[in-house]
Amino acid sequence: MIRQPAAFVSSLKIKNWGIGYSDLLKKNVFQSDNILSKYYEQILQFSNSNQDIIEQGILFWNMVHEKIHGFKLSHSNWLFMKHEDLSLNPVEEFERIFNYLGLPYTEEIITEIEKLTSKNPSPAIVNKSSDIFEVKRNSKENIWYWKERLTVDEIERIYNGTKHISNFFYSAKDW
């Protein structure tokens, strides 16, 4: 699942979720993984200092999505999807997932997908929820809320900080 960088960082910001970079260092994946190893020094720096949520999100998005890009290049038979496509057309896109996995796609499943993606609380209600795992969304409306949650400066920082990877997945119109 590929997610627009500003949307991802906006989700971190709205929930005030930082990234546990010191915990990531304990995993030892950075020395053995060619893609992730180049981030080791930056992760070390982030684990020893208080970086703001925007910078934390930029680094984490870059690491995850550079890895995804590598997988996409080396595994042409894998299914890669953009979060935004799934949000715009949840019934059709979930059908693609179910077909890819060889799972039955029933009317009951379709009804549940429709219930969870289109007939839900407004973002104001969702965002004030005390349940950090709240997943009900009006999916189509949710795609662009990051533009309301982030400042122009934050969006520019995210764009500049991720464009070397985000350009593989997103065009200028997605910003």
Side-chain angles (χ1 to χ4, degrees), residues 29-47:
V29 298
F30 300 101
Q31 274 90 16
S32 61
D33 185 295
N34 289 336
I35 290 175
L36 296 179
S37 64
K38 71 180 189 182
Y39 292 103
Y40 179 78
E41 291 299 322
Q42 197 173 2
I43 291 166
L44 188 61
Q45 175 190 351
F46 274 43
S47 71

Side-chain angles (χ1 to χ4, degrees), residues 106-118 120 136:
T106 65
E107 286 301 320
E108 182 180 12
I109 292 169
I110 293 169
T111 300
E112 189 67 16
I113 290 168
E114 289 172 339
K115 182 176 98 177
L116 291 171
T117 61
S118 63
N120 297 298
K136 294 180 181 177

Side-chain angles (χ1 to χ4, degrees), residues 15-80:
K15 295 292 188 177
N16 197 29
W17 284 347
I19 307 295
Y21 285 105
S22 57
D23 292 331
L24 286 175
L25 286 174
K26 295 174 189 172
K27 303 293 182 198
N28 267 347
V29 298
F30 300 101
Q31 274 90 16
S32 61
D33 185 295
N34 289 336
I35 290 175
L36 296 179
S37 64
K38 71 180 189 182
Y39 292 103
Y40 179 78
E41 291 299 322
Q42 197 173 2
I43 291 166
L44 188 61
Q45 175 190 351
F46 274 43
S47 71
N48 293 320
S49 64
N50 286 332
Q51 299 290 327
D52 74 355
I53 292 286
I54 304 301
E55 292 303 317
Q56 290 183 51
I58 289 168
L59 176 57
F60 195 75
W61 189 94
N62 283 337
M63 290 170 23
V64 168
H65 287 77
E66 185 164 353
K67 190 72 177 174
I68 290 171
H69 180 63
F71 284 141
K72 197 171 181 185
L73 293 174
S74 62
H75 298 283
S76 60
N77 60 329
W78 287 12
L79 179 63
F80 295 90

